[in-house]
Amino acid sequence: VPGVTECQVNFGAEQATVQYNPQQTDPKTIQGAVVSAGYQAFPLEEMNTGQDDEEKKSRQAETLDLKRKIWVGGVFSVLLILGVIPEMLGINLSFIPAWLGNPWLQLILTTPVLFWCGQSFFIGSWKAFKRHTATMDTLIALGTGVAYFYSLLGLLAPSFFTTEGLTPHVYFEVAATVTTLILLGRLFESIAKGETSEAIRKLMGLQAKNARVIRNGKELDIPIEEVILEDIIVVRPGEKIPVDGEIVEGSSSIDEAMVTGESVAVKKQPKDCLLYISPSPR
């Protein structure tokens, strides 16, 4: 988008930070570009104060929907696999009903798995196709779709194969099983993203909300958003470091484990740098 100078995407938090020139573009144009790329986007400033709650509810709804589809796909896939085991192994297993191997039943069981449980794959691949590109959804939709429609052709028009001396086979269980397993992977991904977002929110909660600055010889408590370059900030014992900066006076041992992973407190002297999410100096 003309006017955008930088864009950084956090896949774990599912957020993008965009720097742009307001004289050349605006959030609506940027949002439209993201949507045209096949995603959804909502400017954070347009969301209400319950953003975290809304995001959590959305995540829970997504997880619940995936679980529902996995249950349906899992049950149908197991039935489909049981139906083809005797043919695959070439033996007769008495505990498996013969009717499970009926190709028409397999068609009935596979159709909802592919086109309801796996509908997101086809939607995503179609969006990618319109952008003249391919994604993971394209691979999944192509693989499962070919298995399904090849089997459907063999079921509805077996003469298409027999006239060439070939025996028609059906692979409905492949389409259903692959769809279900990938949905299971997406469920794990959704849960991991939810935990990542929660961890990031807790980490950001460690940040101080106000800073004590010296202006015109006086100490003023102001929101950290109002801190400007060259401000001198006073950090007293037991207080959090509100913003990044350089020590101009004083010394202390600072626990920077949240940033560097180093468990030992680091001794800080004048001219050293401080990171805003460091816990209280001691």
Side-chain angles (χ1 to χ4, degrees), residues 54-65:
E54 291 297 324
E55 181 182 348
K56 189 174 183 179
K57 290 180 181 178
S58 176
R59 181 77 63 189
Q60 290 175 342
E62 178 186 2
T63 301
L64 181 61
D65 182 60

Side-chain angles (χ1 to χ4, degrees), residues 5 24 32 64 67 101 105 132 182-184 189 200 207 209 214 236 247-248 251 281:
T5 57
Q24 294 180 273
L64 181 61
K67 287 181 178 179
L105 175 62
H132 307 289
I182 295 176
L183 286 175
L184 182 61
E189 179 185 10
I200 291 175
Q207 182 181 4
K209 301 297 185 292
I214 298 178
R236 295 175 178 172
I247 299 177
V248 295
S251 62

Side-chain angles (χ1 to χ4, degrees), residues 238-264:
E239 293 181 341
K240 295 180 180 180
I241 298 169
V243 295
D244 293 342
E246 179 182 296
I247 299 177
V248 295
E249 183 181 347
S251 62
S252 182
S253 294
I254 305 298
D255 183 0
E256 294 185 339
M258 280 296 191
V259 179
T260 64
E262 177 58 56
S263 59
V264 179

Side-chain angles (χ1 to χ4, degrees), residues 4-20 30 34 44:
V4 173
T5 57
E6 184 179 357
C7 178
Q8 296 180 348
V9 179
N10 185 324
F11 290 98
E14 296 184 338
Q15 291 184 358
T17 303
V18 182
Q19 295 183 9
Y20 64 94
I30 297 172
V34 176
L44 290 179

